[in-house]
């Protein structure tokens, strides 16, 4: 029952993948007991009167304690199952129409900010400029190799650009390694945590979304580099 409640909460928090969301909606349509549990959750959390006007949040808590679904008429269960499916789809549509998902926002940020790298640093050496030129020409692997070699000389800018190169290459594991290393460095302005969150949102595996949200909250609360962008996202 605990796992079932966690699944329902993840759905309404928009934390499921597309495949998990489809499986959730399918289960609502085919599993009457599960549909009833979702209905009780909705009544408790959102107070939808059309599901059942006279019952309150205590029903769902008692359902969890008893570890069994309340006995209801078959027609009522069918109504709840149908209502929940419609409600789930409507809520998801509302969420997606209201604002883009975090992975979508991450995709847009990467597209807008990591397509062309700046070459304005006065201290740049010719090798660094060469790597930037390769990156901007779309030769990401070659650029990443040069940035990596420069990063070995304690060059945080090269480390950052190497991570961005691997992010653009969809090599999320290596990108995360670079951003985690960058995150640990003492810099006046450090985007490591923000870029790590972007990478997790791009990868979208296992607990990536939850971990990314924690990082974004940290960046915002501590006013780390990227916090203004996070505020634009409405987080």
């Amino acid at each position: 029952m605990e796992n079932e409640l966690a699944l329902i909460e993840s759905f309404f928090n928009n934390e499921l993948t597309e495949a998990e969301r489809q499986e959730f909606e399918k289960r609502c349509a085919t599993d009457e007991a599960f549909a009833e549990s979702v209905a009780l959750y909705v009544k408790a959390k959102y107070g939808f009167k059309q599901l059942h006007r006279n019952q309150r949040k205590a029903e769902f808590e008692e359902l969890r304690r008893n570890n069994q679904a309340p006995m209801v008429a078959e027609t009522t269960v069918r109504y709840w199952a149908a209502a929940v499916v419609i409600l789930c789809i409507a809520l998801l549509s509302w969420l997606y129409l209201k604002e883009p998902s975090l992975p979508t926002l991450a995709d847009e940020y990467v597209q807008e900010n990591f397509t062309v790298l700046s070459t304005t640093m006065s201290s740049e050496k010719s090798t660094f400029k060469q790597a930037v030129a390769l990156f901007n020409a779309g030769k990401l692997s070659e650029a990443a190799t040069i940035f990596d070699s420069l990063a070995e000389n304690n060059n945080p800018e090269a480390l950052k650009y190497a991570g961005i190169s691997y992010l653009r290459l969809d090599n999320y594991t290596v990108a995360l390694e670079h951003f985690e290393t960058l995150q640990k460095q003492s810099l006046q302005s450090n985007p490591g945590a923000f870029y790590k969150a972007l990478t997790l949102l791009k990868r979208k595996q296992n607990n990536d979304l939850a971990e990314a949200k924690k990082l974004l909250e940290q960046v915002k609360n501590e006013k780390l580099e990227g916090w203004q962008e996070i505020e634009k996202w409405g987080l």
Side-chain angles (χ1 to χ4, degrees):
M1 185 62 66
E2 291 290 339
N3 291 338
E4 185 174 276
L5 176 59
L7 174 62
I8 296 171
E9 288 180 334
S10 293
F11 177 87
F12 285 102
N13 288 333
N14 197 21
E15 295 175 348
L16 300 182
T17 64
E18 177 64 20
E20 290 170 337
R21 182 180 67 81
Q22 292 179 2
E23 180 63 27
F24 184 98
E25 293 175 357
K26 179 180 178 181
R27 187 175 174 187
C28 283
T30 58
D31 186 336
E32 291 183 351
F34 181 71
E36 184 179 343
S37 296
V38 178
L40 288 172
Y41 176 88
V42 171
K43 285 188 295 178
K45 187 172 180 64
Y46 298 99
F48 281 96
K49 294 181 181 179
Q50 65 267 34
L51 292 179
H52 204 293
R53 189 168 297 175
N54 298 323
Q55 296 183 1
R56 299 173 297 175
K57 186 175 181 179
E59 286 186 346
F60 190 81
E61 295 300 327
E62 183 157 359
L63 173 64
R64 290 179 58 193
R65 287 196 298 270
N66 295 337
N67 197 26
Q68 61 183 9
M71 297 298 295
V72 293
E74 181 178 354
T75 55
T76 302
V77 171
R78 288 179 178 174
Y79 164 73
W80 278 359
V84 167
V85 172
I86 295 172
L87 177 64
C88 290
I89 295 174
L91 278 176
L92 255 292
S93 299
W94 179 80
L95 286 170
Y96 282 112
L97 288 173
K98 182 178 181 234
E99 59 182 23
S101 66
L102 282 177
T104 298
L105 290 168
D107 288 340
E108 292 175 352
Y109 184 90
V110 169
Q111 182 66 30
E112 292 173 5
N113 296 275
F114 294 162
T115 299
V116 177
L117 298 180
S118 171
T119 57
T120 59
M121 290 180 58
S122 59
S123 61
E124 286 175 356
K125 296 182 180 180
S126 59
T127 307
F128 194 101
K129 290 182 178 180
Q130 178 189 1
V132 171
L134 287 169
F135 182 99
N136 292 342
K139 299 179 180 180
L140 303 176
S141 297
E142 294 93 327
T145 300
I146 297 176
F147 285 135
D148 270 335
S149 66
L150 294 172
E152 293 177 358
N153 298 321
N154 194 26
N155 186 329
E157 195 74 4
L159 177 64
K160 178 180 75 173
Y161 281 3
I164 292 173
S165 300
Y166 288 115
L167 175 56
R168 283 282 313 280
L169 287 164
D170 296 337
N171 191 338
Y172 302 125
T173 299
V174 178
L176 286 171
E177 292 173 356
H178 282 69
F179 294 142
E180 286 170 358
T181 301
L182 180 65
Q183 185 181 2
K184 296 173 184 176
Q185 297 194 5
S186 298
L187 304 173
Q188 185 174 3
S189 180
N190 192 329
F194 181 50
Y195 288 179
K196 179 181 177 182
L198 291 176
T199 306
L200 291 169
L201 290 172
K202 291 280 290 180
R203 188 172 68 173
K204 294 179 289 189
Q205 293 180 2
N206 301 323
N207 296 321
D208 283 353
L209 180 58
E211 187 177 350
K213 285 183 176 180
K214 291 180 182 178
L215 283 169
L216 293 174
E217 289 177 3
Q218 177 189 350
V219 171
K220 180 180 177 181
N221 294 336
E222 298 180 12
K223 294 293 189 291
L224 302 176
E225 185 170 338
W227 72 270
Q228 293 173 315
E229 186 69 27
I230 295 171
E231 284 203 336
K232 292 179 184 177
W233 293 354
L235 300 183

